[in-house]
Amino acid sequence: MELDRDRARPAIEFTTQTKDVSVLGLDCDIWVSPFENEERPYISMRYGMKALLSRNVFYALAESLVQVETEKGTGMGIISAGKSYLLMQDE
């Protein structure tokens, strides 16, 4: 994961193990889904596939959380390429 500040709007880039690069907000989206009693972060990939973020990447994202407001509600999330993603909704 890398923050690209050279764009008109700062964006987060993800690089897969096969060296594919996806820009959050442009090429892919992020969401959190339940799996066996825990929440897991995923990003969308090509051809409808999804990728599970590794723990260290998710922890790096967690350090960048800000207050966001989306159609799903308000809470803590990230903003990339001008798009807001709600990861932890306020109760």
Side-chain angles (χ1 to χ4, degrees), residues 32-85:
V32 179
S33 287
F35 180 80
E36 295 183 0
N37 298 324
E38 65 180 37
E39 299 286 322
R40 289 192 173 177
Y42 295 92
I43 60 170
S44 54
M45 299 299 292
R46 294 181 290 177
Y47 311 116
M49 295 185 296
K50 63 182 179 182
L52 176 65
L53 295 183
S54 65
R55 188 175 306 250
N56 61 332
V57 171
F58 187 66
Y59 285 166
L61 278 178
E63 292 177 6
S64 303
L65 292 179
V66 295
Q67 187 74 26
V68 297
E69 186 172 334
T70 69
E71 59 189 34
K72 295 179 182 180
T74 60
M76 300 304 289
I78 53 177
I79 301 171
S80 178
K83 191 170 181 182
S84 298
Y85 294 93

Side-chain angles (χ1 to χ4, degrees), residues 2-59:
E2 182 176 321
L3 179 60
D4 182 357
R5 295 182 193 274
D6 293 335
R7 300 175 179 273
R9 294 178 171 173
I12 297 170
E13 293 181 347
F14 294 102
T15 304
T16 68
Q17 291 177 346
T18 58
K19 305 301 182 218
D20 288 336
V21 177
S22 294
V23 178
L24 185 62
L26 299 177
D27 304 321
C28 64
D29 291 310
I30 188 170
W31 71 95
V32 179
S33 287
F35 180 80
E36 295 183 0
N37 298 324
E38 65 180 37
E39 299 286 322
R40 289 192 173 177
Y42 295 92
I43 60 170
S44 54
M45 299 299 292
R46 294 181 290 177
Y47 311 116
M49 295 185 296
K50 63 182 179 182
L52 176 65
L53 295 183
S54 65
R55 188 175 306 250
N56 61 332
V57 171
F58 187 66
Y59 285 166

